[in-house]
Amino acid sequence: MNIQWYPGHMTRAKRKLEEQLKWVDIILELADARLPLSSRNPLLNQLLGTKQRLLLLNKSDLADKVRTEQWVTMLKKDGPVLAISSTTSIGIKNIVPLLEKLMTEKRERLAARGVRERPIRVMVVGIPNIGKSTLINQLTGGSQAKTGNKPGVTRGNQWVRIHDKVELLDTPGMLWPKFDDPEVGRKLAVTGAVRDEVFDQEELALWLLKWLKANYPQDLAGFYKLTAEEMTEAERSDENESESGFGLELIGRKRGCLISGGRIDTFKAAQIFLREFRSGKIAKVTMD
Ligand SMILES: Nc1nc2c(ncn2[C@@H]2O[C@H](COP(=O)(O)OP(=O)(O)OP(=O)(O)O)[C@@H](O)[C@H]2O)c(=O)[nH]1
Ligand SMILES: [Mg+2]
């Protein structure tokens, strides 16, 4: 799938990242704990070269806890990893000590060359809306970095000092121009990394509904108080794609999305469903 929407500011962000890289000691890469594979930019390996990296699985409060632990264990084989949550402060206090540990060797090298001790320079990178600015505010205990519940909030790069030990560089979220696997695009869209205008919201919601039914059926049924009969009804709509929208009608009925003539506003139902999913209220999910 080729993404026609690769916004200009992301191209600029990429160039800027390459420029800033030489000033930076460590990269803090934020990925989504719900998508430990799909939310990592495949271009980063080329862009960052051999620069030290700490991987943070953020939004772990929204992910399947057991699966997150499994992912951390697996990903640790390639380098340091922490599961965190920037809004609930899970894992936050482990970040600075780990950065200092990772910096020890470089510090010693710099000291040997007579370079005066200076704060560790850390660049925070990751897909849009993953929580880079929120994390920076959490670490500084302030609100210096602008945040928002939609992709594309941070535009320029901004340095923020945590204390005398660490300086953080906030960067705009970056996606890559082409998703080889269309599933990756959908996963990124339902978790909020892609602007809503890019995908047809009803199609996306239907895809998610199907996915939840397959992977977290009890959570789905529990949240929308779906009877066994209603779950089967939703399944039938899967089998008959021409009647698609049926699953959304079910959600719409539960949420009172009515239009004249007693019909269901499936667009509104899709929006509500996606919003409820993103808030983590339906289920704590891991999609990779
Ligand atoms: N549930 C949950 N929400 C989070 C977490 N971290 C960030 N958020 C929310 O995610 C949204 C995006 O956060 P930002 O910090 O603006 O994201 P960003 O990565 O800076 O986004 P861009 O600047 O657009 O690239 C906000 O609504 C945050 O409150 C987390 O760990 N858990
Ligand atoms: Mg930001």
Side-chain angles (χ1 to χ4, degrees), residues 9-248:
H9 88 267
M10 285 190 200
T11 316
R12 283 195 297 281
K14 179 167 164 278
R15 207 176 309 133
K16 193 93 193 189
L17 186 142
E18 287 165 318
E19 246 167 58
Q20 298 265 14
L21 206 54
K22 54 179 175 291
W23 302 106
V24 169
D25 299 307
I26 301 173
I27 305 290
L28 214 47
E29 181 192 353
L30 267 72
D32 194 317
R34 294 166 294 179
L35 305 172
L37 294 179
S38 308
S39 66
R40 297 186 71 186
N41 189 337
L43 302 176
L44 276 187
N45 286 340
Q46 305 159 26
L47 280 172
L48 302 178
T50 57
K51 194 67 77 174
Q52 272 271 27
R53 210 190 300 184
L54 169 55
L55 174 63
L56 301 177
L57 298 182
N58 192 37
K59 303 200 180 184
S60 64
D61 56 307
L62 302 178
D64 195 319
K65 217 171 156 203
V66 176
R67 300 281 303 281
T68 301
E69 278 166 26
Q70 291 168 344
W71 271 114
V72 168
T73 309
M74 194 128 87
L75 292 164
K76 264 190 180 157
K77 291 176 188 149
D78 298 324
V81 187
L82 286 176
I84 66 158
S85 164
S86 300
T87 46
T88 67
S89 83
I90 295 170
I92 301 293
K93 64 177 189 322
N94 302 326
I95 297 174
V96 172
L98 190 49
L99 288 172
E100 285 180 315
K101 191 168 150 236
L102 294 174
M103 185 64 183
T104 316
E105 213 179 286
K106 183 164 181 181
R107 272 246 157 81
E108 282 164 5
R109 270 205 318 275
L110 291 173
R113 277 170 33 206
V115 179
R116 204 158 44 95
E117 190 158 318
R118 55 161 176 75
I120 309 171
R121 298 186 192 123
V122 179
M123 182 191 260
V124 184
V125 303
I127 56 170
N129 205 30
I130 184 61
K132 299 175 292 298
S133 303
T134 307
L135 172 68
I136 288 174
N137 289 337
Q138 180 70 249
L139 288 169
T140 56
S143 54
Q144 294 178 66
K146 191 177 165 203
T147 66
N149 192 10
K150 58 173 191 206
V153 172
T154 303
R155 291 301 168 106
N157 291 355
Q158 186 196 0
W159 281 103
V160 177
R161 181 171 284 210
I162 305 189
H163 40 63
D164 53 357
K165 292 202 189 103
V166 181
E167 277 171 359
L168 296 168
L169 178 63
D170 193 8
T171 65
M174 240 203 301
L175 283 170
W176 44 102
K178 189 177 181 302
F179 298 136
D180 291 326
D181 177 358
E183 292 267 294
V184 170
R186 292 200 191 97
K187 288 176 181 177
L188 288 168
V190 295
T191 51
V194 179
R195 286 178 299 117
D196 283 346
E197 298 79 46
V198 174
F199 285 90
D200 180 297
Q201 296 292 285
E202 289 183 53
E203 247 171 59
L204 191 64
L206 265 179
W207 176 82
L208 177 62
L209 194 56
K210 210 169 178 172
W211 189 88
L212 279 172
K213 246 184 297 159
N215 294 281
Y216 294 87
Q218 280 162 348
D219 290 306
L220 181 68
F223 184 75
Y224 287 108
K225 303 196 169 49
L226 302 175
T227 61
E229 201 184 16
E230 283 170 326
M231 283 293 271
T232 327
E233 188 183 321
E235 253 142 52
R236 268 205 307 277
S237 72
D238 280 354
E239 287 155 17
N240 189 354
E241 291 284 346
S242 64
E243 268 180 49
S244 73
F246 203 77
L248 287 178

Side-chain angles (χ1 to χ4, degrees), residues 200-209 213 234 237 243-255 257 264-274:
D200 180 297
Q201 296 292 285
E202 289 183 53
E203 247 171 59
L204 191 64
L206 265 179
W207 176 82
L208 177 62
L209 194 56
K213 246 184 297 159
S237 72
E243 268 180 49
S244 73
F246 203 77
L248 287 178
E249 282 181 10
L250 199 59
I251 305 280
R253 264 207 313 271
K254 297 283 173 181
R255 288 290 176 266
C257 306
I264 306 287
D265 184 345
T266 48
F267 182 72
K268 194 163 167 215
Q271 283 181 313
I272 292 175
F273 175 54
L274 286 168

